[in-house]
Amino acid sequence: MSRQELVQQVEQTLIGLGFTENKSASVMCYRKNVSYPGLIQGQNSHAHFLVYAPRGTLQINVKFQQSSGTAIEKLAYCADDAETTEFDRYFVVCGGEQLLRNNCAINYLRSRQHRAPKLLPTTVDMLGHYLAPYLDPKAA
């Protein structure tokens, strides 16, 4: 698997839940590769997806690391970025052998949730489960 394949799996999950790609901010739509002001002044960050669900607007970023390298630095940036997100939830979908080994990426990001309560790390297999509460407008 590659990062691009993981991004495609996330998109297929969104489509499977009934979302459609659209440049508008309409409910049950999503936008891809959205630029927004980053943590460093004058630099933009990018969300892989912005999702407009009936119960909130969700940011989804995909992090993939197959071999050793800068995995923790990438995850640390996500945790910092999630602290300031304007959206209702900041999902980080983790993939690749390095990030999923011993659940290290998920555990690392969960350990940062006290600073970034909107942060929700997951795998692509669990993404639909975590998105479900945002679909039902009658849910508590």
Side-chain angles (χ1 to χ4, degrees), residues 70-88:
T70 60
I72 293 300
E73 291 86 348
K74 292 176 184 178
L75 296 174
Y77 184 89
C78 284
D80 289 346
D81 195 32
E83 284 185 62
T84 62
T85 187
E86 64 185 81
F87 304 108
D88 298 304

mmCIF file with all atom_site columns, all heavy atoms in Angstrom, residues 70-88:
data_model
loop_
_atom_site.group_PDB
_atom_site.id
_atom_site.type_symbol
_atom_site.label_atom_id
_atom_site.label_alt_id
_atom_site.label_comp_id
_atom_site.label_asym_id
_atom_site.label_entity_id
_atom_site.label_seq_id
_atom_site.pdbx_PDB_ins_code
_atom_site.Cartn_x
_atom_site.Cartn_y
_atom_site.Cartn_z
_atom_site.occupancy
_atom_site.B_iso_or_equiv
_atom_site.pdbx_formal_charge
_atom_site.auth_seq_id
_atom_site.auth_comp_id
_atom_site.auth_asym_id
_atom_site.auth_atom_id
_atom_site.pdbx_PDB_model_num
ATOM 1   N N   . THR A 1 70 ? 10.667  10.234 9.562  1.00 0.00 ? 70 THR A N   1
ATOM 2   C CA  . THR A 1 70 ? 10.165  11.396 10.303 1.00 0.00 ? 70 THR A CA  1
ATOM 3   C C   . THR A 1 70 ? 8.730   11.205 10.789 1.00 0.00 ? 70 THR A C   1
ATOM 4   O O   . THR A 1 70 ? 7.972   12.159 10.891 1.00 0.00 ? 70 THR A O   1
ATOM 5   C CB  . THR A 1 70 ? 10.243  12.646 9.417  1.00 0.00 ? 70 THR A CB  1
ATOM 6   O OG1 . THR A 1 70 ? 9.443   12.423 8.250  1.00 0.00 ? 70 THR A OG1 1
ATOM 7   C CG2 . THR A 1 70 ? 11.668  12.961 9.021  1.00 0.00 ? 70 THR A CG2 1
ATOM 8   N N   . ALA A 1 71 ? 8.357   9.997  11.112 1.00 0.00 ? 71 ALA A N   1
ATOM 9   C CA  . ALA A 1 71 ? 6.980   9.704  11.491 1.00 0.00 ? 71 ALA A CA  1
ATOM 10  C C   . ALA A 1 71 ? 6.508   10.536 12.689 1.00 0.00 ? 71 ALA A C   1
ATOM 11  O O   . ALA A 1 71 ? 5.445   11.147 12.639 1.00 0.00 ? 71 ALA A O   1
ATOM 12  C CB  . ALA A 1 71 ? 6.826   8.217  11.794 1.00 0.00 ? 71 ALA A CB  1
ATOM 13  N N   . ILE A 1 72 ? 7.276   10.567 13.751 1.00 0.00 ? 72 ILE A N   1
ATOM 14  C CA  . ILE A 1 72 ? 6.843   11.275 14.955 1.00 0.00 ? 72 ILE A CA  1
ATOM 15  C C   . ILE A 1 72 ? 6.727   12.771 14.693 1.00 0.00 ? 72 ILE A C   1
ATOM 16  O O   . ILE A 1 72 ? 5.800   13.421 15.165 1.00 0.00 ? 72 ILE A O   1
ATOM 17  C CB  . ILE A 1 72 ? 7.789   10.984 16.145 1.00 0.00 ? 72 ILE A CB  1
ATOM 18  C CG1 . ILE A 1 72 ? 7.666   9.513  16.543 1.00 0.00 ? 72 ILE A CG1 1
ATOM 19  C CG2 . ILE A 1 72 ? 7.483   11.890 17.326 1.00 0.00 ? 72 ILE A CG2 1
ATOM 20  C CD1 . ILE A 1 72 ? 6.267   9.071  16.975 1.00 0.00 ? 72 ILE A CD1 1
ATOM 21  N N   . GLU A 1 73 ? 7.634   13.326 13.918 1.00 0.00 ? 73 GLU A N   1
ATOM 22  C CA  . GLU A 1 73 ? 7.555   14.753 13.593 1.00 0.00 ? 73 GLU A CA  1
ATOM 23  C C   . GLU A 1 73 ? 6.269   15.063 12.838 1.00 0.00 ? 73 GLU A C   1
ATOM 24  O O   . GLU A 1 73 ? 5.599   16.062 13.110 1.00 0.00 ? 73 GLU A O   1
ATOM 25  C CB  . GLU A 1 73 ? 8.766   15.201 12.769 1.00 0.00 ? 73 GLU A CB  1
ATOM 26  C CG  . GLU A 1 73 ? 10.070  15.214 13.532 1.00 0.00 ? 73 GLU A CG  1
ATOM 27  C CD  . GLU A 1 73 ? 10.789  13.859 13.542 1.00 0.00 ? 73 GLU A CD  1
ATOM 28  O OE1 . GLU A 1 73 ? 10.173  12.829 13.151 1.00 0.00 ? 73 GLU A OE1 1
ATOM 29  O OE2 . GLU A 1 73 ? 11.947  13.823 13.954 1.00 0.00 ? 73 GLU A OE2 1
ATOM 30  N N   . LYS A 1 74 ? 5.889   14.204 11.897 1.00 0.00 ? 74 LYS A N   1
ATOM 31  C CA  . LYS A 1 74 ? 4.647   14.397 11.150 1.00 0.00 ? 74 LYS A CA  1
ATOM 32  C C   . LYS A 1 74 ? 3.447   14.334 12.079 1.00 0.00 ? 74 LYS A C   1
ATOM 33  O O   . LYS A 1 74 ? 2.518   15.129 11.970 1.00 0.00 ? 74 LYS A O   1
ATOM 34  C CB  . LYS A 1 74 ? 4.513   13.330 10.063 1.00 0.00 ? 74 LYS A CB  1
ATOM 35  C CG  . LYS A 1 74 ? 5.515   13.458 8.947  1.00 0.00 ? 74 LYS A CG  1
ATOM 36  C CD  . LYS A 1 74 ? 5.364   12.302 7.977  1.00 0.00 ? 74 LYS A CD  1
ATOM 37  C CE  . LYS A 1 74 ? 6.426   12.361 6.901  1.00 0.00 ? 74 LYS A CE  1
ATOM 38  N NZ  . LYS A 1 74 ? 6.334   11.238 5.975  1.00 0.00 ? 74 LYS A NZ  1
ATOM 39  N N   . LEU A 1 75 ? 3.475   13.389 12.995 1.00 0.00 ? 75 LEU A N   1
ATOM 40  C CA  . LEU A 1 75 ? 2.355   13.237 13.927 1.00 0.00 ? 75 LEU A CA  1
ATOM 41  C C   . LEU A 1 75 ? 2.294   14.393 14.917 1.00 0.00 ? 75 LEU A C   1
ATOM 42  O O   . LEU A 1 75 ? 1.203   14.852 15.276 1.00 0.00 ? 75 LEU A O   1
ATOM 43  C CB  . LEU A 1 75 ? 2.467   11.906 14.665 1.00 0.00 ? 75 LEU A CB  1
ATOM 44  C CG  . LEU A 1 75 ? 2.364   10.661 13.786 1.00 0.00 ? 75 LEU A CG  1
ATOM 45  C CD1 . LEU A 1 75 ? 2.627   9.415  14.617 1.00 0.00 ? 75 LEU A CD1 1
ATOM 46  C CD2 . LEU A 1 75 ? 1.026   10.585 13.086 1.00 0.00 ? 75 LEU A CD2 1
ATOM 47  N N   . ALA A 1 76 ? 3.445   14.864 15.358 1.00 0.00 ? 76 ALA A N   1
ATOM 48  C CA  . ALA A 1 76 ? 3.471   15.996 16.296 1.00 0.00 ? 76 ALA A CA  1
ATOM 49  C C   . ALA A 1 76 ? 2.854   17.227 15.665 1.00 0.00 ? 76 ALA A C   1
ATOM 50  O O   . ALA A 1 76 ? 2.107   17.969 16.315 1.00 0.00 ? 76 ALA A O   1
ATOM 51  C CB  . ALA A 1 76 ? 4.898   16.273 16.747 1.00 0.00 ? 76 ALA A CB  1
ATOM 52  N N   . TYR A 1 77 ? 3.136   17.456 14.390 1.00 0.00 ? 77 TYR A N   1
ATOM 53  C CA  . TYR A 1 77 ? 2.538   18.598 13.688 1.00 0.00 ? 77 TYR A CA  1
ATOM 54  C C   . TYR A 1 77 ? 1.018   18.451 13.660 1.00 0.00 ? 77 TYR A C   1
ATOM 55  O O   . TYR A 1 77 ? 0.291   19.416 13.881 1.00 0.00 ? 77 TYR A O   1
ATOM 56  C CB  . TYR A 1 77 ? 3.099   18.731 12.273 1.00 0.00 ? 77 TYR A CB  1
ATOM 57  C CG  . TYR A 1 77 ? 2.566   19.959 11.571 1.00 0.00 ? 77 TYR A CG  1
ATOM 58  C CD1 . TYR A 1 77 ? 3.230   21.174 11.684 1.00 0.00 ? 77 TYR A CD1 1
ATOM 59  C CD2 . TYR A 1 77 ? 1.390   19.918 10.836 1.00 0.00 ? 77 TYR A CD2 1
ATOM 60  C CE1 . TYR A 1 77 ? 2.730   22.311 11.067 1.00 0.00 ? 77 TYR A CE1 1
ATOM 61  C CE2 . TYR A 1 77 ? 0.889   21.043 10.223 1.00 0.00 ? 77 TYR A CE2 1
ATOM 62  C CZ  . TYR A 1 77 ? 1.560   22.238 10.335 1.00 0.00 ? 77 TYR A CZ  1
ATOM 63  O OH  . TYR A 1 77 ? 1.059   23.371 9.736  1.00 0.00 ? 77 TYR A OH  1
ATOM 64  N N   . CYS A 1 78 ? 0.530   17.245 13.405 1.00 0.00 ? 78 CYS A N   1
ATOM 65  C CA  . CYS A 1 78 ? -0.917  17.021 13.390 1.00 0.00 ? 78 CYS A CA  1
ATOM 66  C C   . CYS A 1 78 ? -1.539  17.357 14.744 1.00 0.00 ? 78 CYS A C   1
ATOM 67  O O   . CYS A 1 78 ? -2.593  17.988 14.798 1.00 0.00 ? 78 CYS A O   1
ATOM 68  C CB  . CYS A 1 78 ? -1.240  15.573 13.040 1.00 0.00 ? 78 CYS A CB  1
ATOM 69  S SG  . CYS A 1 78 ? -1.049  15.181 11.316 1.00 0.00 ? 78 CYS A SG  1
ATOM 70  N N   . ALA A 1 79 ? -0.898  16.920 15.800 1.00 0.00 ? 79 ALA A N   1
ATOM 71  C CA  . ALA A 1 79 ? -1.432  17.197 17.133 1.00 0.00 ? 79 ALA A CA  1
ATOM 72  C C   . ALA A 1 79 ? -1.470  18.695 17.397 1.00 0.00 ? 79 ALA A C   1
ATOM 73  O O   . ALA A 1 79 ? -2.466  19.219 17.919 1.00 0.00 ? 79 ALA A O   1
ATOM 74  C CB  . ALA A 1 79 ? -0.589  16.485 18.191 1.00 0.00 ? 79 ALA A CB  1
ATOM 75  N N   . ASP A 1 80 ? -0.415  19.399 17.025 1.00 0.00 ? 80 ASP A N   1
ATOM 76  C CA  . ASP A 1 80 ? -0.393  20.853 17.197 1.00 0.00 ? 80 ASP A CA  1
ATOM 77  C C   . ASP A 1 80 ? -1.455  21.520 16.327 1.00 0.00 ? 80 ASP A C   1
ATOM 78  O O   . ASP A 1 80 ? -2.147  22.437 16.761 1.00 0.00 ? 80 ASP A O   1
ATOM 79  C CB  . ASP A 1 80 ? 0.982   21.419 16.851 1.00 0.00 ? 80 ASP A CB  1
ATOM 80  C CG  . ASP A 1 80 ? 2.043   21.069 17.878 1.00 0.00 ? 80 ASP A CG  1
ATOM 81  O OD1 . ASP A 1 80 ? 1.683   20.622 18.992 1.00 0.00 ? 80 ASP A OD1 1
ATOM 82  O OD2 . ASP A 1 80 ? 3.233   21.233 17.559 1.00 0.00 ? 80 ASP A OD2 1
ATOM 83  N N   . ASP A 1 81 ? -1.589  21.065 15.103 1.00 0.00 ? 81 ASP A N   1
ATOM 84  C CA  . ASP A 1 81 ? -2.559  21.623 14.173 1.00 0.00 ? 81 ASP A CA  1
ATOM 85  C C   . ASP A 1 81 ? -3.984  21.391 14.678 1.00 0.00 ? 81 ASP A C   1
ATOM 86  O O   . ASP A 1 81 ? -4.852  22.259 14.567 1.00 0.00 ? 81 ASP A O   1
ATOM 87  C CB  . ASP A 1 81 ? -2.357  20.996 12.791 1.00 0.00 ? 81 ASP A CB  1
ATOM 88  C CG  . ASP A 1 81 ? -3.049  21.745 11.675 1.00 0.00 ? 81 ASP A CG  1
ATOM 89  O OD1 . ASP A 1 81 ? -3.169  22.988 11.766 1.00 0.00 ? 81 ASP A OD1 1
ATOM 90  O OD2 . ASP A 1 81 ? -3.458  21.102 10.699 1.00 0.00 ? 81 ASP A OD2 1
ATOM 91  N N   . ALA A 1 82 ? -4.230  20.229 15.251 1.00 0.00 ? 82 ALA A N   1
ATOM 92  C CA  . ALA A 1 82 ? -5.567  19.905 15.761 1.00 0.00 ? 82 ALA A CA  1
ATOM 93  C C   . ALA A 1 82 ? -5.980  20.815 16.911 1.00 0.00 ? 82 ALA A C   1
ATOM 94  O O   . ALA A 1 82 ? -7.170  21.053 17.127 1.00 0.00 ? 82 ALA A O   1
ATOM 95  C CB  . ALA A 1 82 ? -5.616  18.449 16.200 1.00 0.00 ? 82 ALA A CB  1
ATOM 96  N N   . GLU A 1 83 ? -5.008  21.345 17.638 1.00 0.00 ? 83 GLU A N   1
ATOM 97  C CA  . GLU A 1 83 ? -5.319  22.272 18.736 1.00 0.00 ? 83 GLU A CA  1
ATOM 98  C C   . GLU A 1 83 ? -6.028  23.519 18.245 1.00 0.00 ? 83 GLU A C   1
ATOM 99  O O   . GLU A 1 83 ? -6.840  24.104 18.963 1.00 0.00 ? 83 GLU A O   1
ATOM 100 C CB  . GLU A 1 83 ? -4.037  22.715 19.446 1.00 0.00 ? 83 GLU A CB  1
ATOM 101 C CG  . GLU A 1 83 ? -3.440  21.704 20.353 1.00 0.00 ? 83 GLU A CG  1
ATOM 102 C CD  . GLU A 1 83 ? -2.250  22.284 21.092 1.00 0.00 ? 83 GLU A CD  1
ATOM 103 O OE1 . GLU A 1 83 ? -2.431  23.257 21.850 1.00 0.00 ? 83 GLU A OE1 1
ATOM 104 O OE2 . GLU A 1 83 ? -1.135  21.771 20.886 1.00 0.00 ? 83 GLU A OE2 1
ATOM 105 N N   . THR A 1 84 ? -5.729  23.936 17.032 1.00 0.00 ? 84 THR A N   1
ATOM 106 C CA  . THR A 1 84 ? -6.247  25.211 16.526 1.00 0.00 ? 84 THR A CA  1
ATOM 107 C C   . THR A 1 84 ? -7.288  25.059 15.421 1.00 0.00 ? 84 THR A C   1
ATOM 108 O O   . THR A 1 84 ? -7.735  26.068 14.874 1.00 0.00 ? 84 THR A O   1
ATOM 109 C CB  . THR A 1 84 ? -5.088  26.074 15.991 1.00 0.00 ? 84 THR A CB  1
ATOM 110 O OG1 . THR A 1 84 ? -4.459  25.387 14.907 1.00 0.00 ? 84 THR A OG1 1
ATOM 111 C CG2 . THR A 1 84 ? -4.073  26.373 17.087 1.00 0.00 ? 84 THR A CG2 1
ATOM 112 N N   . THR A 1 85 ? -7.684  23.835 15.101 1.00 0.00 ? 85 THR A N   1
ATOM 113 C CA  . THR A 1 85 ? -8.629  23.654 14.008 1.00 0.00 ? 85 THR A CA  1
ATOM 114 C C   . THR A 1 85 ? -9.947  24.365 14.287 1.00 0.00 ? 85 THR A C   1
ATOM 115 O O   . THR A 1 85 ? -10.416 24.397 15.417 1.00 0.00 ? 85 THR A O   1
ATOM 116 C CB  . THR A 1 85 ? -8.885  22.165 13.692 1.00 0.00 ? 85 THR A CB  1
ATOM 117 O OG1 . THR A 1 85 ? -9.694  22.089 12.515 1.00 0.00 ? 85 THR A OG1 1
ATOM 118 C CG2 . THR A 1 85 ? -9.600  21.456 14.826 1.00 0.00 ? 85 THR A CG2 1
ATOM 119 N N   . GLU A 1 86 ? -10.505 24.925 13.250 1.00 0.00 ? 86 GLU A N   1
ATOM 120 C CA  . GLU A 1 86 ? -11.809 25.588 13.377 1.00 0.00 ? 86 GLU A CA  1
ATOM 121 C C   . GLU A 1 86 ? -12.952 24.601 13.191 1.00 0.00 ? 86 GLU A C   1
ATOM 122 O O   . GLU A 1 86 ? -14.111 24.946 13.401 1.00 0.00 ? 86 GLU A O   1
ATOM 123 C CB  . GLU A 1 86 ? -11.929 26.707 12.344 1.00 0.00 ? 86 GLU A CB  1
ATOM 124 C CG  . GLU A 1 86 ? -11.900 26.209 10.906 1.00 0.00 ? 86 GLU A CG  1
ATOM 125 C CD  . GLU A 1 86 ? -11.899 27.323 9.886  1.00 0.00 ? 86 GLU A CD  1
ATOM 126 O OE1 . GLU A 1 86 ? -10.826 27.892 9.636  1.00 0.00 ? 86 GLU A OE1 1
ATOM 127 O OE2 . GLU A 1 86 ? -12.979 27.611 9.345  1.00 0.00 ? 86 GLU A OE2 1
ATOM 128 N N   . PHE A 1 87 ? -12.634 23.372 12.823 1.00 0.00 ? 87 PHE A N   1
ATOM 129 C CA  . PHE A 1 87 ? -13.665 22.394 12.517 1.00 0.00 ? 87 PHE A CA  1
ATOM 130 C C   . PHE A 1 87 ? -14.039 21.583 13.752 1.00 0.00 ? 87 PHE A C   1
ATOM 131 O O   . PHE A 1 87 ? -13.369 21.632 14.780 1.00 0.00 ? 87 PHE A O   1
ATOM 132 C CB  . PHE A 1 87 ? -13.208 21.507 11.355 1.00 0.00 ? 87 PHE A CB  1
ATOM 133 C CG  . PHE A 1 87 ? -12.848 22.337 10.145 1.00 0.00 ? 87 PHE A CG  1
ATOM 134 C CD1 . PHE A 1 87 ? -11.539 22.482 9.756  1.00 0.00 ? 87 PHE A CD1 1
ATOM 135 C CD2 . PHE A 1 87 ? -13.832 23.028 9.447  1.00 0.00 ? 87 PHE A CD2 1
ATOM 136 C CE1 . PHE A 1 87 ? -11.198 23.273 8.667  1.00 0.00 ? 87 PHE A CE1 1
ATOM 137 C CE2 . PHE A 1 87 ? -13.501 23.833 8.367  1.00 0.00 ? 87 PHE A CE2 1
ATOM 138 C CZ  . PHE A 1 87 ? -12.181 23.955 7.975  1.00 0.00 ? 87 PHE A CZ  1
ATOM 139 N N   . ASP A 1 88 ? -15.129 20.817 13.644 1.00 0.00 ? 88 ASP A N   1
ATOM 140 C CA  . ASP A 1 88 ? -15.670 20.101 14.800 1.00 0.00 ? 88 ASP A CA  1
ATOM 141 C C   . ASP A 1 88 ? -14.841 18.889 15.205 1.00 0.00 ? 88 ASP A C   1
ATOM 142 O O   . ASP A 1 88 ? -14.845 18.490 16.365 1.00 0.00 ? 88 ASP A O   1
ATOM 143 C CB  . ASP A 1 88 ? -17.114 19.672 14.509 1.00 0.00 ? 88 ASP A CB  1
ATOM 144 C CG  . ASP A 1 88 ? -18.001 20.881 14.266 1.00 0.00 ? 88 ASP A CG  1
ATOM 145 O OD1 . ASP A 1 88 ? -18.060 21.761 15.143 1.00 0.00 ? 88 ASP A OD1 1
ATOM 146 O OD2 . ASP A 1 88 ? -18.612 20.965 13.183 1.00 0.00 ? 88 ASP A OD2 1
#
